[in-house]
mmCIF file with all atom_site columns, all heavy atoms in Angstrom:
data_model
loop_
_atom_site.group_PDB
_atom_site.id
_atom_site.type_symbol
_atom_site.label_atom_id
_atom_site.label_alt_id
_atom_site.label_comp_id
_atom_site.label_asym_id
_atom_site.label_entity_id
_atom_site.label_seq_id
_atom_site.pdbx_PDB_ins_code
_atom_site.Cartn_x
_atom_site.Cartn_y
_atom_site.Cartn_z
_atom_site.occupancy
_atom_site.B_iso_or_equiv
_atom_site.pdbx_formal_charge
_atom_site.auth_seq_id
_atom_site.auth_comp_id
_atom_site.auth_asym_id
_atom_site.auth_atom_id
_atom_site.pdbx_PDB_model_num
ATOM 1   N N   . TYR A 1 1  ? 3.799   -9.077  -8.949  1.00 0.00 ? 1  TYR A N   1
ATOM 2   C CA  . TYR A 1 1  ? 4.002   -9.436  -7.576  1.00 0.00 ? 1  TYR A CA  1
ATOM 3   C C   . TYR A 1 1  ? 4.950   -8.519  -6.801  1.00 0.00 ? 1  TYR A C   1
ATOM 4   O O   . TYR A 1 1  ? 4.463   -7.829  -5.914  1.00 0.00 ? 1  TYR A O   1
ATOM 5   C CB  . TYR A 1 1  ? 4.526   -10.910 -7.570  1.00 0.00 ? 1  TYR A CB  1
ATOM 6   C CG  . TYR A 1 1  ? 4.699   -11.345 -6.098  1.00 0.00 ? 1  TYR A CG  1
ATOM 7   C CD1 . TYR A 1 1  ? 3.688   -11.825 -5.333  1.00 0.00 ? 1  TYR A CD1 1
ATOM 8   C CD2 . TYR A 1 1  ? 5.999   -11.360 -5.454  1.00 0.00 ? 1  TYR A CD2 1
ATOM 9   C CE1 . TYR A 1 1  ? 3.905   -12.178 -4.004  1.00 0.00 ? 1  TYR A CE1 1
ATOM 10  C CE2 . TYR A 1 1  ? 6.280   -11.669 -4.287  1.00 0.00 ? 1  TYR A CE2 1
ATOM 11  C CZ  . TYR A 1 1  ? 5.143   -12.125 -3.482  1.00 0.00 ? 1  TYR A CZ  1
ATOM 12  O OH  . TYR A 1 1  ? 5.439   -12.550 -2.166  1.00 0.00 ? 1  TYR A OH  1
ATOM 13  N N   . PHE A 1 2  ? 6.156   -8.454  -7.216  1.00 0.00 ? 2  PHE A N   1
ATOM 14  C CA  . PHE A 1 2  ? 7.195   -7.662  -6.452  1.00 0.00 ? 2  PHE A CA  1
ATOM 15  C C   . PHE A 1 2  ? 6.811   -6.181  -6.593  1.00 0.00 ? 2  PHE A C   1
ATOM 16  O O   . PHE A 1 2  ? 7.016   -5.448  -5.534  1.00 0.00 ? 2  PHE A O   1
ATOM 17  C CB  . PHE A 1 2  ? 8.571   -7.920  -6.943  1.00 0.00 ? 2  PHE A CB  1
ATOM 18  C CG  . PHE A 1 2  ? 9.072   -9.244  -6.560  1.00 0.00 ? 2  PHE A CG  1
ATOM 19  C CD1 . PHE A 1 2  ? 9.280   -10.285 -7.474  1.00 0.00 ? 2  PHE A CD1 1
ATOM 20  C CD2 . PHE A 1 2  ? 9.378   -9.529  -5.145  1.00 0.00 ? 2  PHE A CD2 1
ATOM 21  C CE1 . PHE A 1 2  ? 9.663   -11.548 -7.060  1.00 0.00 ? 2  PHE A CE1 1
ATOM 22  C CE2 . PHE A 1 2  ? 9.786   -10.828 -4.804  1.00 0.00 ? 2  PHE A CE2 1
ATOM 23  C CZ  . PHE A 1 2  ? 9.976   -11.818 -5.718  1.00 0.00 ? 2  PHE A CZ  1
ATOM 24  N N   . GLY A 1 3  ? 6.274   -5.806  -7.732  1.00 0.00 ? 3  GLY A N   1
ATOM 25  C CA  . GLY A 1 3  ? 5.858   -4.337  -7.897  1.00 0.00 ? 3  GLY A CA  1
ATOM 26  C C   . GLY A 1 3  ? 4.853   -3.980  -7.017  1.00 0.00 ? 3  GLY A C   1
ATOM 27  O O   . GLY A 1 3  ? 4.852   -2.952  -6.273  1.00 0.00 ? 3  GLY A O   1
ATOM 28  N N   . THR A 1 4  ? 3.750   -4.783  -7.002  1.00 0.00 ? 4  THR A N   1
ATOM 29  C CA  . THR A 1 4  ? 2.653   -4.546  -6.074  1.00 0.00 ? 4  THR A CA  1
ATOM 30  C C   . THR A 1 4  ? 3.097   -4.545  -4.575  1.00 0.00 ? 4  THR A C   1
ATOM 31  O O   . THR A 1 4  ? 2.688   -3.600  -3.823  1.00 0.00 ? 4  THR A O   1
ATOM 32  C CB  . THR A 1 4  ? 1.529   -5.587  -6.277  1.00 0.00 ? 4  THR A CB  1
ATOM 33  O OG1 . THR A 1 4  ? 0.997   -5.420  -7.576  1.00 0.00 ? 4  THR A OG1 1
ATOM 34  C CG2 . THR A 1 4  ? 0.440   -5.433  -5.259  1.00 0.00 ? 4  THR A CG2 1
ATOM 35  N N   . LEU A 1 5  ? 3.901   -5.422  -4.255  1.00 0.00 ? 5  LEU A N   1
ATOM 36  C CA  . LEU A 1 5  ? 4.410   -5.525  -2.880  1.00 0.00 ? 5  LEU A CA  1
ATOM 37  C C   . LEU A 1 5  ? 5.247   -4.242  -2.518  1.00 0.00 ? 5  LEU A C   1
ATOM 38  O O   . LEU A 1 5  ? 5.125   -3.610  -1.494  1.00 0.00 ? 5  LEU A O   1
ATOM 39  C CB  . LEU A 1 5  ? 5.267   -6.801  -2.687  1.00 0.00 ? 5  LEU A CB  1
ATOM 40  C CG  . LEU A 1 5  ? 5.952   -6.871  -1.329  1.00 0.00 ? 5  LEU A CG  1
ATOM 41  C CD1 . LEU A 1 5  ? 4.938   -6.928  -0.198  1.00 0.00 ? 5  LEU A CD1 1
ATOM 42  C CD2 . LEU A 1 5  ? 6.767   -8.198  -1.289  1.00 0.00 ? 5  LEU A CD2 1
ATOM 43  N N   . ALA A 1 6  ? 6.206   -3.852  -3.428  1.00 0.00 ? 6  ALA A N   1
ATOM 44  C CA  . ALA A 1 6  ? 7.033   -2.719  -3.167  1.00 0.00 ? 6  ALA A CA  1
ATOM 45  C C   . ALA A 1 6  ? 6.295   -1.442  -3.037  1.00 0.00 ? 6  ALA A C   1
ATOM 46  O O   . ALA A 1 6  ? 6.514   -0.609  -2.100  1.00 0.00 ? 6  ALA A O   1
ATOM 47  C CB  . ALA A 1 6  ? 8.075   -2.630  -4.300  1.00 0.00 ? 6  ALA A CB  1
ATOM 48  N N   . VAL A 1 7  ? 5.267   -1.270  -3.869  1.00 0.00 ? 7  VAL A N   1
ATOM 49  C CA  . VAL A 1 7  ? 4.443   -0.012  -3.830  1.00 0.00 ? 7  VAL A CA  1
ATOM 50  C C   . VAL A 1 7  ? 3.627   -0.009  -2.567  1.00 0.00 ? 7  VAL A C   1
ATOM 51  O O   . VAL A 1 7  ? 3.480   0.986   -1.954  1.00 0.00 ? 7  VAL A O   1
ATOM 52  C CB  . VAL A 1 7  ? 3.646   0.148   -5.122  1.00 0.00 ? 7  VAL A CB  1
ATOM 53  C CG1 . VAL A 1 7  ? 2.643   1.297   -5.028  1.00 0.00 ? 7  VAL A CG1 1
ATOM 54  C CG2 . VAL A 1 7  ? 4.476   0.254   -6.400  1.00 0.00 ? 7  VAL A CG2 1
ATOM 55  N N   . THR A 1 8  ? 3.076   -1.120  -2.278  1.00 0.00 ? 8  THR A N   1
ATOM 56  C CA  . THR A 1 8  ? 2.155   -1.208  -1.027  1.00 0.00 ? 8  THR A CA  1
ATOM 57  C C   . THR A 1 8  ? 3.027   -0.881  0.174   1.00 0.00 ? 8  THR A C   1
ATOM 58  O O   . THR A 1 8  ? 2.640   -0.140  1.125   1.00 0.00 ? 8  THR A O   1
ATOM 59  C CB  . THR A 1 8  ? 1.530   -2.523  -0.953  1.00 0.00 ? 8  THR A CB  1
ATOM 60  O OG1 . THR A 1 8  ? 0.722   -2.649  -2.074  1.00 0.00 ? 8  THR A OG1 1
ATOM 61  C CG2 . THR A 1 8  ? 0.476   -2.463  0.265   1.00 0.00 ? 8  THR A CG2 1
ATOM 62  N N   . ARG A 1 9  ? 4.172   -1.475  0.291   1.00 0.00 ? 9  ARG A N   1
ATOM 63  C CA  . ARG A 1 9  ? 5.073   -1.280  1.491   1.00 0.00 ? 9  ARG A CA  1
ATOM 64  C C   . ARG A 1 9  ? 5.468   0.257   1.579   1.00 0.00 ? 9  ARG A C   1
ATOM 65  O O   . ARG A 1 9  ? 5.526   0.788   2.677   1.00 0.00 ? 9  ARG A O   1
ATOM 66  C CB  . ARG A 1 9  ? 6.305   -2.158  1.366   1.00 0.00 ? 9  ARG A CB  1
ATOM 67  C CG  . ARG A 1 9  ? 6.010   -3.615  1.638   1.00 0.00 ? 9  ARG A CG  1
ATOM 68  C CD  . ARG A 1 9  ? 7.169   -4.456  1.376   1.00 0.00 ? 9  ARG A CD  1
ATOM 69  N NE  . ARG A 1 9  ? 8.388   -4.213  2.248   1.00 0.00 ? 9  ARG A NE  1
ATOM 70  C CZ  . ARG A 1 9  ? 9.152   -5.128  2.689   1.00 0.00 ? 9  ARG A CZ  1
ATOM 71  N NH1 . ARG A 1 9  ? 8.933   -6.450  2.420   1.00 0.00 ? 9  ARG A NH1 1
ATOM 72  N NH2 . ARG A 1 9  ? 10.159  -4.829  3.500   1.00 0.00 ? 9  ARG A NH2 1
ATOM 73  N N   . ALA A 1 10 ? 5.689   0.864   0.387   1.00 0.00 ? 10 ALA A N   1
ATOM 74  C CA  . ALA A 1 10 ? 6.191   2.192   0.338   1.00 0.00 ? 10 ALA A CA  1
ATOM 75  C C   . ALA A 1 10 ? 5.048   3.210   0.836   1.00 0.00 ? 10 ALA A C   1
ATOM 76  O O   . ALA A 1 10 ? 5.287   4.189   1.446   1.00 0.00 ? 10 ALA A O   1
ATOM 77  C CB  . ALA A 1 10 ? 6.692   2.625   -1.035  1.00 0.00 ? 10 ALA A CB  1
ATOM 78  N N   . PHE A 1 11 ? 3.734   2.882   0.474   1.00 0.00 ? 11 PHE A N   1
ATOM 79  C CA  . PHE A 1 11 ? 2.710   3.714   0.880   1.00 0.00 ? 11 PHE A CA  1
ATOM 80  C C   . PHE A 1 11 ? 1.951   3.382   2.109   1.00 0.00 ? 11 PHE A C   1
ATOM 81  O O   . PHE A 1 11 ? 1.079   4.181   2.596   1.00 0.00 ? 11 PHE A O   1
ATOM 82  C CB  . PHE A 1 11 ? 1.696   3.799   -0.327  1.00 0.00 ? 11 PHE A CB  1
ATOM 83  C CG  . PHE A 1 11 ? 2.121   4.739   -1.440  1.00 0.00 ? 11 PHE A CG  1
ATOM 84  C CD1 . PHE A 1 11 ? 2.905   4.224   -2.508  1.00 0.00 ? 11 PHE A CD1 1
ATOM 85  C CD2 . PHE A 1 11 ? 1.800   6.007   -1.438  1.00 0.00 ? 11 PHE A CD2 1
ATOM 86  C CE1 . PHE A 1 11 ? 3.280   5.017   -3.519  1.00 0.00 ? 11 PHE A CE1 1
ATOM 87  C CE2 . PHE A 1 11 ? 2.232   6.889   -2.451  1.00 0.00 ? 11 PHE A CE2 1
ATOM 88  C CZ  . PHE A 1 11 ? 2.982   6.434   -3.458  1.00 0.00 ? 11 PHE A CZ  1
ATOM 89  N N   . ALA A 1 12 ? 2.223   2.220   2.653   1.00 0.00 ? 12 ALA A N   1
ATOM 90  C CA  . ALA A 1 12 ? 1.517   1.804   3.829   1.00 0.00 ? 12 ALA A CA  1
ATOM 91  C C   . ALA A 1 12 ? 1.580   2.790   5.108   1.00 0.00 ? 12 ALA A C   1
ATOM 92  O O   . ALA A 1 12 ? 0.574   2.979   5.702   1.00 0.00 ? 12 ALA A O   1
ATOM 93  C CB  . ALA A 1 12 ? 2.048   0.418   4.363   1.00 0.00 ? 12 ALA A CB  1
ATOM 94  N N   . PRO A 1 13 ? 2.754   3.384   5.280   1.00 0.00 ? 13 PRO A N   1
ATOM 95  C CA  . PRO A 1 13 ? 2.769   4.430   6.334   1.00 0.00 ? 13 PRO A CA  1
ATOM 96  C C   . PRO A 1 13 ? 1.824   5.551   6.175   1.00 0.00 ? 13 PRO A C   1
ATOM 97  O O   . PRO A 1 13 ? 1.251   6.048   7.108   1.00 0.00 ? 13 PRO A O   1
ATOM 98  C CB  . PRO A 1 13 ? 4.227   4.874   6.316   1.00 0.00 ? 13 PRO A CB  1
ATOM 99  C CG  . PRO A 1 13 ? 5.049   3.675   5.770   1.00 0.00 ? 13 PRO A CG  1
ATOM 100 C CD  . PRO A 1 13 ? 4.146   3.167   4.665   1.00 0.00 ? 13 PRO A CD  1
ATOM 101 N N   . GLN A 1 14 ? 1.640   6.046   4.924   1.00 0.00 ? 14 GLN A N   1
ATOM 102 C CA  . GLN A 1 14 ? 0.713   7.111   4.693   1.00 0.00 ? 14 GLN A CA  1
ATOM 103 C C   . GLN A 1 14 ? -0.726  6.606   4.924   1.00 0.00 ? 14 GLN A C   1
ATOM 104 O O   . GLN A 1 14 ? -1.510  7.335   5.529   1.00 0.00 ? 14 GLN A O   1
ATOM 105 C CB  . GLN A 1 14 ? 0.811   7.568   3.194   1.00 0.00 ? 14 GLN A CB  1
ATOM 106 C CG  . GLN A 1 14 ? 2.110   8.286   2.901   1.00 0.00 ? 14 GLN A CG  1
ATOM 107 C CD  . GLN A 1 14 ? 2.119   8.950   1.556   1.00 0.00 ? 14 GLN A CD  1
ATOM 108 O OE1 . GLN A 1 14 ? 1.181   9.638   1.161   1.00 0.00 ? 14 GLN A OE1 1
ATOM 109 N NE2 . GLN A 1 14 ? 3.171   8.743   0.779   1.00 0.00 ? 14 GLN A NE2 1
ATOM 110 N N   . LEU A 1 15 ? -1.043  5.431   4.454   1.00 0.00 ? 15 LEU A N   1
ATOM 111 C CA  . LEU A 1 15 ? -2.342  4.837   4.731   1.00 0.00 ? 15 LEU A CA  1
ATOM 112 C C   . LEU A 1 15 ? -2.649  4.688   6.212   1.00 0.00 ? 15 LEU A C   1
ATOM 113 O O   . LEU A 1 15 ? -3.792  4.836   6.710   1.00 0.00 ? 15 LEU A O   1
ATOM 114 C CB  . LEU A 1 15 ? -2.482  3.447   4.055   1.00 0.00 ? 15 LEU A CB  1
ATOM 115 C CG  . LEU A 1 15 ? -2.314  3.508   2.448   1.00 0.00 ? 15 LEU A CG  1
ATOM 116 C CD1 . LEU A 1 15 ? -2.388  2.048   1.870   1.00 0.00 ? 15 LEU A CD1 1
ATOM 117 C CD2 . LEU A 1 15 ? -3.439  4.384   1.823   1.00 0.00 ? 15 LEU A CD2 1
ATOM 118 N N   . ALA A 1 16 ? -1.621  4.358   6.973   1.00 0.00 ? 16 ALA A N   1
ATOM 119 C CA  . ALA A 1 16 ? -1.831  4.170   8.408   1.00 0.00 ? 16 ALA A CA  1
ATOM 120 C C   . ALA A 1 16 ? -2.262  5.330   9.156   1.00 0.00 ? 16 ALA A C   1
ATOM 121 O O   . ALA A 1 16 ? -3.000  5.254   10.149  1.00 0.00 ? 16 ALA A O   1
ATOM 122 C CB  . ALA A 1 16 ? -0.543  3.652   9.003   1.00 0.00 ? 16 ALA A CB  1
ATOM 123 N N   . VAL A 1 17 ? -1.841  6.534   8.637   1.00 0.00 ? 17 VAL A N   1
ATOM 124 C CA  . VAL A 1 17 ? -2.277  7.699   9.395   1.00 0.00 ? 17 VAL A CA  1
ATOM 125 C C   . VAL A 1 17 ? -3.510  8.432   8.754   1.00 0.00 ? 17 VAL A C   1
ATOM 126 O O   . VAL A 1 17 ? -4.015  9.432   9.225   1.00 0.00 ? 17 VAL A O   1
ATOM 127 C CB  . VAL A 1 17 ? -1.107  8.782   9.359   1.00 0.00 ? 17 VAL A CB  1
ATOM 128 C CG1 . VAL A 1 17 ? 0.115   8.234   10.157  1.00 0.00 ? 17 VAL A CG1 1
ATOM 129 C CG2 . VAL A 1 17 ? -0.727  9.193   7.955   1.00 0.00 ? 17 VAL A CG2 1
ATOM 130 N N   . ALA A 1 18 ? -4.082  7.795   7.684   1.00 0.00 ? 18 ALA A N   1
ATOM 131 C CA  . ALA A 1 18 ? -5.246  8.292   6.987   1.00 0.00 ? 18 ALA A CA  1
ATOM 132 C C   . ALA A 1 18 ? -6.471  8.052   8.023   1.00 0.00 ? 18 ALA A C   1
ATOM 133 O O   . ALA A 1 18 ? -6.520  7.022   8.723   1.00 0.00 ? 18 ALA A O   1
ATOM 134 C CB  . ALA A 1 18 ? -5.466  7.609   5.732   1.00 0.00 ? 18 ALA A CB  1
ATOM 135 N N   . GLU A 1 19 ? -7.358  8.935   7.920   1.00 0.00 ? 19 GLU A N   1
ATOM 136 C CA  . GLU A 1 19 ? -8.615  8.756   8.735   1.00 0.00 ? 19 GLU A CA  1
ATOM 137 C C   . GLU A 1 19 ? -9.320  7.489   8.246   1.00 0.00 ? 19 GLU A C   1
ATOM 138 O O   . GLU A 1 19 ? -9.541  7.288   7.070   1.00 0.00 ? 19 GLU A O   1
ATOM 139 C CB  . GLU A 1 19 ? -9.536  9.940   8.449   1.00 0.00 ? 19 GLU A CB  1
ATOM 140 C CG  . GLU A 1 19 ? -10.800 9.869   9.383   1.00 0.00 ? 19 GLU A CG  1
ATOM 141 C CD  . GLU A 1 19 ? -11.708 11.124  9.234   1.00 0.00 ? 19 GLU A CD  1
ATOM 142 O OE1 . GLU A 1 19 ? -11.327 12.067  8.543   1.00 0.00 ? 19 GLU A OE1 1
ATOM 143 O OE2 . GLU A 1 19 ? -12.800 11.020  9.805   1.00 0.00 ? 19 GLU A OE2 1
ATOM 144 N N   . GLY A 1 20 ? -9.582  6.568   9.202   1.00 0.00 ? 20 GLY A N   1
ATOM 145 C CA  . GLY A 1 20 ? -10.207 5.308   8.893   1.00 0.00 ? 20 GLY A CA  1
ATOM 146 C C   . GLY A 1 20 ? -9.226  4.272   8.416   1.00 0.00 ? 20 GLY A C   1
ATOM 147 O O   . GLY A 1 20 ? -9.614  3.128   8.153   1.00 0.00 ? 20 GLY A O   1
ATOM 148 N N   . GLY A 1 21 ? -7.919  4.641   8.217   1.00 0.00 ? 21 GLY A N   1
ATOM 149 C CA  . GLY A 1 21 ? -6.978  3.608   7.769   1.00 0.00 ? 21 GLY A CA  1
ATOM 150 C C   . GLY A 1 21 ? -6.764  3.513   6.311   1.00 0.00 ? 21 GLY A C   1
ATOM 151 O O   . GLY A 1 21 ? -5.857  2.861   5.825   1.00 0.00 ? 21 GLY A O   1
ATOM 152 N N   . GLY A 1 22 ? -7.590  4.201   5.515   1.00 0.00 ? 22 GLY A N   1
ATOM 153 C CA  . GLY A 1 22 ? -7.369  4.225   4.010   1.00 0.00 ? 22 GLY A CA  1
ATOM 154 C C   . GLY A 1 22 ? -7.637  2.877   3.376   1.00 0.00 ? 22 GLY A C   1
ATOM 155 O O   . GLY A 1 22 ? -8.288  1.969   4.053   1.00 0.00 ? 22 GLY A O   1
ATOM 156 N N   . ALA A 1 23 ? -7.318  2.706   2.195   1.00 0.00 ? 23 ALA A N   1
ATOM 157 C CA  . ALA A 1 23 ? -7.670  1.471   1.454   1.00 0.00 ? 23 ALA A CA  1
ATOM 158 C C   . ALA A 1 23 ? -6.706  1.226   0.267   1.00 0.00 ? 23 ALA A C   1
ATOM 159 O O   . ALA A 1 23 ? -5.962  2.123   -0.217  1.00 0.00 ? 23 ALA A O   1
ATOM 160 C CB  . ALA A 1 23 ? -9.050  1.673   0.804   1.00 0.00 ? 23 ALA A CB  1
ATOM 161 N N   . VAL A 1 24 ? -6.642  0.025   -0.190  1.00 0.00 ? 24 VAL A N   1
ATOM 162 C CA  . VAL A 1 24 ? -5.781  -0.490  -1.240  1.00 0.00 ? 24 VAL A CA  1
ATOM 163 C C   . VAL A 1 24 ? -6.723  -1.196  -2.213  1.00 0.00 ? 24 VAL A C   1
ATOM 164 O O   . VAL A 1 24 ? -7.579  -1.978  -1.800  1.00 0.00 ? 24 VAL A O   1
ATOM 165 C CB  . VAL A 1 24 ? -4.668  -1.396  -0.759  1.00 0.00 ? 24 VAL A CB  1
ATOM 166 C CG1 . VAL A 1 24 ? -3.855  -1.960  -2.002  1.00 0.00 ? 24 VAL A CG1 1
ATOM 167 C CG2 . VAL A 1 24 ? -3.764  -0.622  0.142   1.00 0.00 ? 24 VAL A CG2 1
ATOM 168 N N   . LEU A 1 25 ? -6.565  -0.836  -3.496  1.00 0.00 ? 25 LEU A N   1
ATOM 169 C CA  . LEU A 1 25 ? -7.192  -1.660  -4.584  1.00 0.00 ? 25 LEU A CA  1
ATOM 170 C C   . LEU A 1 25 ? -6.167  -2.293  -5.455  1.00 0.00 ? 25 LEU A C   1
ATOM 171 O O   . LEU A 1 25 ? -5.349  -1.654  -6.017  1.00 0.00 ? 25 LEU A O   1
ATOM 172 C CB  . LEU A 1 25 ? -8.103  -0.736  -5.445  1.00 0.00 ? 25 LEU A CB  1
ATOM 173 C CG  . LEU A 1 25 ? -8.701  -1.366  -6.724  1.00 0.00 ? 25 LEU A CG  1
ATOM 174 C CD1 . LEU A 1 25 ? -9.622  -2.467  -6.370  1.00 0.00 ? 25 LEU A CD1 1
ATOM 175 C CD2 . LEU A 1 25 ? -9.356  -0.306  -7.527  1.00 0.00 ? 25 LEU A CD2 1
ATOM 176 N N   . ASN A 1 26 ? -6.229  -3.613  -5.437  1.00 0.00 ? 26 ASN A N   1
ATOM 177 C CA  . ASN A 1 26 ? -5.298  -4.419  -6.306  1.00 0.00 ? 26 ASN A CA  1
ATOM 178 C C   . ASN A 1 26 ? -5.992  -4.883  -7.538  1.00 0.00 ? 26 ASN A C   1
ATOM 179 O O   . ASN A 1 26 ? -7.043  -5.690  -7.379  1.00 0.00 ? 26 ASN A O   1
ATOM 180 C CB  . ASN A 1 26 ? -4.699  -5.583  -5.536  1.00 0.00 ? 26 ASN A CB  1
ATOM 181 C CG  . ASN A 1 26 ? -3.600  -5.135  -4.630  1.00 0.00 ? 26 ASN A CG  1
ATOM 182 O OD1 . ASN A 1 26 ? -3.107  -3.939  -4.674  1.00 0.00 ? 26 ASN A OD1 1
ATOM 183 N ND2 . ASN A 1 26 ? -3.173  -6.067  -3.666  1.00 0.00 ? 26 ASN A ND2 1
ATOM 184 N N   . VAL A 1 27 ? -5.493  -4.487  -8.750  1.00 0.00 ? 27 VAL A N   1
ATOM 185 C CA  . VAL A 1 27 ? -6.132  -4.884  -9.964  1.00 0.00 ? 27 VAL A CA  1
ATOM 186 C C   . VAL A 1 27 ? -5.573  -6.336  -10.366 1.00 0.00 ? 27 VAL A C   1
ATOM 187 O O   . VAL A 1 27 ? -4.434  -6.417  -10.812 1.00 0.00 ? 27 VAL A O   1
ATOM 188 C CB  . VAL A 1 27 ? -5.905  -3.940  -11.074 1.00 0.00 ? 27 VAL A CB  1
ATOM 189 C CG1 . VAL A 1 27 ? -6.455  -4.375  -12.390 1.00 0.00 ? 27 VAL A CG1 1
ATOM 190 C CG2 . VAL A 1 27 ? -6.478  -2.583  -10.773 1.00 0.00 ? 27 VAL A CG2 1
#
């Protein structure tokens, strides 16, 4: 839970500027 949240928050700014907005896959 907290690990997935922390990593997603850390990378969200990079995804935001990706063409098309990028994607996240949660296992």
Side-chain angles (χ1 to χ4, degrees):
Y1 179 79
F2 289 109
T4 295
L5 176 58
V7 174
T8 305
R9 289 172 63 144
F11 280 92
Q14 294 189 46
L15 299 173
V17 299
E19 183 177 355
V24 176
L25 171 64
N26 284 347
V27 178

